[in-house]
């Protein structure tokens, strides 16, 4: 409201700062949210968020054509449920309905906090020719100093979404082009690979761990990876994927039981559209809180 009260003056002042190389990013306001686990959110000032949106739109236009099609986080026309459906499709395409196959599931340890700012800047510099634009991007990246010197990007900036995809785009291309993994899906720092061979997935996992450590300074510990038969169920993006069914993960299901009410039931049922949930819907509607209409 304060920014909008003098909107023209603020925007023209911001324009002058950007044009004259005088733009400096403001400090962040920190708060925490608790959704399955604690998350630290860093909120920028409105003035900075205007710049973030401009940079996000510009970088998206540059990088979108280069991202692989099976990267689904923070991209227009993609999203969590598209990633889930693609994984299910790959399970079928890999013949997993008819014979047992394996899935490698991995995620990066503390991904946003682990991004090396210098590596990120070097990746961006490969595409950005304009000196002023690169200076603004550098100012945004270096404004975050909470994860240690030269480390991390903040949860809360819209620019962090595109930076995160740019950073892992190298891993995507390595997996698809060098390791020849056809059935690969990534959502943020969670990724799955489908294969008929457990041995092949073990080799891929080892190579990915080395690539992440040496090229991107990222830790993909063995404790955050697993290779399972699809018949056992694969936990991915809040669901358990089986050869011929998708179930809501038990942890998500229990949270739903605890929090569902008349005000949010349609939102929860929207989630349930993406899995086999007929019996679960009936059980929710039979709960005491819905017994009186």
């Amino acid at each position: 409201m304060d920014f909008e009260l003098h909107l023209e003056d603020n925007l023209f002042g911001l324009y002058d700062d950007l044009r004259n190389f005088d733009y400096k990013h403001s400090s962040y306001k920190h708060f925490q949210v608790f959704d399955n686990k604690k998350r630290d959110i860093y909120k920028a000032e409105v003035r900075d968020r205007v710049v973030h949106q401009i940079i996000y739109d510009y970088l998206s236009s540059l990088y979108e054509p280069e991202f692989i099609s099976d990267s689904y986080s923070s991209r227009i026309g993609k999203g969590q449920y598209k990633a889930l459906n693609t994984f299910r499709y790959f399970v079928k395409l890999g013949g997993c309905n008819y014979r047992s196959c394996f899935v490698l599931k991995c995620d990066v340890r503390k991904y946003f906090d682990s991004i090396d700012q210098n590596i990120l800047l070097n990746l961006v510099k490969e595409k950005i020719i304009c000196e002023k634009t690169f200076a603004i991007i550098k100012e945004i990246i270096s404004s975050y100093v909470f994860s240690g010197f030269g480390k991390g990007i903040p949860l809360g900036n819209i620019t962090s979404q595109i930076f995160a995809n740019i950073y892992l785009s190298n891993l995507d291309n390595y997996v698809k082009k060098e390791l020849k993994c056809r059935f690969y899906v990534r959502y943020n720092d969670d990724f799955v690979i489908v294969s008929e061979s457990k041995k092949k997935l073990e080799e891929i996992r080892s190579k990915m761990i080395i690539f992440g450590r040496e090229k991107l300074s990222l830790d993909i510990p063995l404790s955050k990876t697993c290779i399972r038969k699809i018949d056992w169920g694969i936990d991915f993006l809040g669901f358990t994927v089986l050869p011929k069914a998708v179930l809501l993960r038990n942890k998500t299901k229990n949270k739903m039981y605890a929090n569902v009410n008349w005000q949010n039931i349609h939102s929860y049922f929207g989630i349930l559209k993406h899995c086999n949930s007929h019996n679960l819907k009936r059980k929710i509607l039979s709960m005491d809180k819905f017994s009186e209409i």
Side-chain angles (χ1 to χ4, degrees), residues 198-213:
K198 182 179 180 181
K199 183 178 179 182
K200 182 180 178 181
L201 289 179
E202 289 172 345
E203 293 172 355
I204 290 170
R205 175 171 61 182
S206 297
K207 291 177 180 178
M208 289 176 69
I209 289 172
I210 293 171
F211 183 90
R213 181 173 62 245

Side-chain angles (χ1 to χ4, degrees), residues 78-285:
K78 301 286 186 175
Q80 174 185 357
Y81 301 121
K82 288 274 181 78
L84 181 69
N85 289 336
T86 299
F87 178 38
R88 296 179 65 188
Y89 175 69
F90 283 169
V91 167
K92 293 179 182 178
L93 207 61
C96 299
N97 278 335
Y98 309 103
R99 59 186 179 275
S100 182
C101 69
F102 297 89
V103 176
L104 167 63
K105 181 177 180 294
C106 307
D107 66 80
V108 179
R109 181 178 179 273
K110 295 183 178 180
Y111 176 49
F112 275 69
D113 282 340
S114 299
I115 288 177
D116 187 294
Q117 294 177 1
N118 285 326
I119 293 176
L120 176 59
L121 284 168
N122 287 332
L123 291 173
V124 172
K125 200 170 186 178
E126 293 174 3
K127 296 282 288 184
I128 304 300
I129 300 172
C130 175
E131 186 180 348
K132 286 185 178 180
T133 304
F134 182 75
I136 296 167
I137 293 171
K138 185 176 181 179
E139 178 67 20
I140 294 172
I141 292 173
S142 61
S143 68
Y144 182 72
V145 294
F146 297 90
S147 294
F149 182 74
K151 284 284 188 178
I153 56 175
L155 284 172
N157 282 4
I158 190 172
T159 48
S160 294
Q161 299 173 9
I162 186 70
F163 289 151
N165 277 333
I166 291 170
Y167 204 82
L168 278 183
S169 181
N170 276 12
L171 179 64
D172 294 338
N173 286 312
Y174 175 70
V175 172
K176 296 286 281 187
K177 296 176 182 178
E178 299 294 326
L179 301 183
K180 309 295 184 184
C181 295
R182 182 183 177 191
F183 303 133
Y184 166 80
V185 180
R186 180 175 67 80
Y187 184 86
N188 203 7
D189 63 328
D190 291 323
F191 41 90
V192 288
I193 301 174
V194 181
S195 174
E196 296 177 12
S197 169
K198 182 179 180 181
K199 183 178 179 182
K200 182 180 178 181
L201 289 179
E202 289 172 345
E203 293 172 355
I204 290 170
R205 175 171 61 182
S206 297
K207 291 177 180 178
M208 289 176 69
I209 289 172
I210 293 171
F211 183 90
R213 181 173 62 245
E214 294 184 351
K215 301 296 185 181
L216 299 173
S217 191
L218 295 177
D219 183 19
I220 308 174
L222 282 176
S223 60
K224 293 182 77 69
T225 73
C226 67
I227 299 175
R228 292 171 57 90
K229 286 186 177 181
I230 188 67
D231 311 47
W232 301 345
I234 306 300
D235 186 357
F236 187 55
L237 303 180
F239 297 89
T240 300
V241 179
L242 294 157
K244 295 185 179 181
V246 176
L247 307 177
L248 195 66
R249 188 172 60 180
N250 285 334
K251 190 174 181 179
T252 310
K253 192 185 304 182
N254 292 333
K255 184 179 178 182
M256 185 178 293
Y257 288 145
N259 296 330
V260 67
N261 55 51
W262 280 117
Q263 283 69 46
N264 61 27
I265 189 170
H266 294 296
S267 296
Y268 279 119
F269 276 18
I271 296 172
L272 296 180
K273 288 192 304 183
H274 300 278
C275 63
N276 303 86
S277 58
H278 178 72
N279 291 335
L280 179 56
K281 289 179 182 176
R282 292 182 60 184
K283 187 172 181 179
I284 289 172
L285 291 174

